[in-house]
Amino acid sequence: MELQHEFTVPVPVGEAWPALLDIERVAPCLPGAAVEEYDGKTVTGSVKVKVGPVTVTYRGTAVFEEQDEAAHRMVLVASGRETRGQGTARATVTAELTGRDGGTSVSVRTDLTVTGRPAQFGRGVLAEVGDRLVSQFADCLAQRLTEPAPATEERPAEDATAAEPEPLDLLHAAGLPVAKRAAAVAAALAALTVVVLRLRRRDRSRHGRRRR
């Protein structure tokens, strides 16, 4: 599926571009993400996703296939696999930065393929989740970009992995519409269970009468 998003940050393109490439600086703005290693081109890490009571962890890599500083365009290809399961996730993210009124407009196009449990929600819900996450990411990024960046030597090497990230809760991120759907599914399952139990009781009663 293809997802399209756009957001703005309150700094010029010349500041926004290197900041977006500073993975260790922006990673905390990505819910559920943990960076283990980054060599300037390839990111190795994990993402935790929560689907109801189940938490799924994806481990994989993300590679910058393009970093065009003149055009302020970057292409990131990420792929991961469930650590306990057969599910996979792959995304090609293309971001273009444009100066606007002293700030920067960031246009993001994502080609996403997901298999496994998170895929059960379908395109509509995943798009809704994406909208909310991009909004949260933009707010977090704007705050970080207006703060002075710490010097490289001041960053402990273990900072990127010390804090265990909270998993990305898909039901919470999607909000009320998904909660209503989940409640409807739960109600339907409950009703089905009641019907099955009644049928079993009737069947047992019939058998009891026949024995008499």
Side-chain angles (χ1 to χ4, degrees), residues 11-24:
V11 296
V13 177
E15 295 181 29
W17 173 259
L20 282 174
L21 294 177
D22 188 347
I23 297 298
E24 293 179 350

Side-chain angles (χ1 to χ4, degrees), residues 30-157:
L30 298 169
V35 176
E36 298 173 0
E37 187 177 352
Y38 177 50
D39 61 8
K41 182 178 180 180
T42 302
V43 185
T44 302
S46 63
V47 176
K48 288 186 177 181
V49 179
K50 185 178 180 182
V51 184
V54 179
T55 299
V56 181
T57 300
Y58 292 92
R59 292 183 61 84
T61 60
V63 180
F64 280 101
E65 291 198 341
E66 181 180 336
Q67 293 182 16
D68 189 336
E69 185 174 0
H72 296 124
R73 181 177 187 272
M74 66 180 75
V75 178
L76 181 71
V77 178
S79 61
R81 178 177 293 276
E82 288 184 33
T83 56
R84 297 180 179 179
Q86 301 299 316
T88 62
R90 179 178 175 82
T92 299
V93 182
T94 303
E96 296 181 346
L97 283 63
T98 307
R100 179 181 296 177
D101 299 328
T104 300
S105 173
V106 184
S107 176
V108 182
R109 186 180 76 253
T110 306
D111 291 320
L112 176 66
T113 302
V114 180
T115 66
R117 282 164 284 191
Q120 66 182 288
F121 291 111
R123 186 190 187 288
V125 174
L126 289 178
E128 186 176 343
V129 171
D131 291 342
R132 290 175 179 264
L133 293 181
V134 168
S135 178
Q136 294 175 18
F137 174 77
D139 291 342
C140 176
L141 183 62
Q143 180 179 350
R144 284 182 172 268
L145 290 181
T146 53
E147 297 174 349
T152 304
E153 61 269 19
E154 295 177 0
R155 297 185 190 175

